[in-house]
Amino acid sequence: MFDRLRKAFSPSSGSAARPVTNKEVARWAASQQLAIVPSATEGHFDLGGDVGGHPWRLECGAPTRDYVRGLELRGRADVGADPDAAVMVLNRSLHEALEGSAYNAITDTLQTTVNTNLPEEMRWLAMYEEMTWPGLPASFRQHFAVIAERIEVAQRWIHAPVVSQLLNFLEGEHSAARAQSPLVLMLVRGKVYLRMEHTERSLPEIEHATQMLLIGAQAAMQNLPPMSVAGPDDLPNLER
């Protein structure tokens, strides 16, 4: 089922720059006052800290998704956001590939319900719709898809800082490769999750991943606190 995904996201044959070493990652983490767990395997690491008093973690290791090649950067921030909020942002190329695979997985087995064995990202594509709204920049809609259960929740989380950080990731000399490299940012179960391919094996890529996770976490804490704190009246009325 994932053969097409593997081909779509296979690495280019061009020569790559020297991968960042674990020592370089450790020095950078120390300069940022981040905790890091050393690993004997080059390219693997586990670092973390806190954001607004809530713990977060970013690790790099073997991929846990078939659409990721090489190493995978995956992060989680336990920010205690509204547990009912469900929003996913993924880059456009991954959205198209997963959408096709999700459709094939269901039709090939003549299923009428979503297979719980599918990755969560694919189940969401079967359950929820892509959301868009007038304030979302055209450049963002070109490169990313927002999948959510409720548009008002998506609007509260995907605001200017999150949009800017995701678009900033596509800038620079590796912009074309980054646009095709799998990336998923999710808000679900009160936590923010990040999953992306460590394509460049560079320190700037790790820095971008860290910033995406932290900015997503800050946006969730500020704009989608638990309902017991925010209250239902704090949700925007789109008809006003």
Side-chain angles (χ1 to χ4, degrees):
M1 179 178 68
F2 291 100
D3 287 345
R4 185 162 64 90
L5 290 179
R6 295 190 183 99
K7 292 178 181 178
F9 297 110
S10 59
S12 63
S13 58
S15 59
R18 177 185 65 82
V20 64
T21 66
N22 284 7
K23 287 185 178 180
E24 290 169 331
V25 175
R27 283 198 295 268
W28 170 78
S31 72
Q32 302 298 310
Q33 298 183 321
L34 302 177
I36 185 166
V37 177
S39 173
T41 304
E42 277 297 331
H44 292 227
F45 60 81
D46 190 338
L47 59 85
D50 72 85
V51 53
H54 297 274
W56 65 269
R57 176 183 179 187
L58 180 72
E59 61 179 325
C60 184
T64 58
R65 291 293 191 270
D66 289 286
Y67 56 77
V68 174
R69 302 294 297 262
L71 292 177
E72 178 183 77
L73 287 166
R74 49 186 175 268
R76 185 180 80 177
D78 299 326
V79 295
D82 178 2
D84 293 327
V87 186
M88 174 174 69
V89 183
L90 67 168
N91 60 319
R92 185 63 65 181
S93 57
L94 179 59
H95 172 260
E96 293 173 355
L98 288 181
E99 195 171 48
S101 294
Y103 175 80
N104 291 335
I106 294 174
T107 56
D108 287 351
T109 56
L110 301 178
Q111 295 181 96
T112 57
T113 58
V114 178
N115 186 347
T116 56
N117 292 323
L118 293 175
E120 188 169 26
E121 302 92 302
M122 293 176 67
R123 297 201 304 271
W124 277 40
L125 292 176
M127 294 187 299
Y128 305 137
E129 296 183 358
E130 180 176 353
M131 301 291 180
T132 186
W133 51 92
L136 209 55
S139 57
F140 184 87
R141 298 196 305 270
Q142 176 186 351
H143 293 292
F144 297 97
V146 178
I147 310 299
E149 184 178 13
R150 307 199 314 268
I151 190 171
E152 67 270 17
V153 174
Q155 287 177 302
R156 288 173 72 93
W157 188 43
I158 308 301
H159 68 324
V162 176
V163 169
S164 296
Q165 185 61 37
L166 286 165
L167 287 177
N168 287 343
F169 178 67
L170 301 181
E171 296 180 352
E173 59 178 320
H174 301 292
S175 58
R178 287 178 175 178
Q180 296 298 317
S181 182
L183 185 153
V184 180
L185 186 66
M186 297 181 75
L187 171 62
V188 63
R189 297 180 290 275
K191 302 176 178 65
V192 174
Y193 296 89
L194 172 72
R195 186 186 308 278
M196 59 182 284
E197 187 173 284
H198 196 12
T199 308
E200 298 169 21
R201 299 283 302 275
S202 67
L203 195 54
E205 191 171 49
I206 296 170
E207 293 173 332
H208 275 299
T210 303
Q211 286 301 309
M212 277 190 282
L213 179 64
L214 295 183
I215 288 176
Q218 290 167 347
M221 288 188 297
Q222 293 169 3
N223 302 318
L224 286 163
M227 292 300 292
S228 60
V229 175
D233 293 337
D234 288 343
L235 289 175
N237 186 342
L238 299 181
E239 297 179 354
R240 290 176 185 170

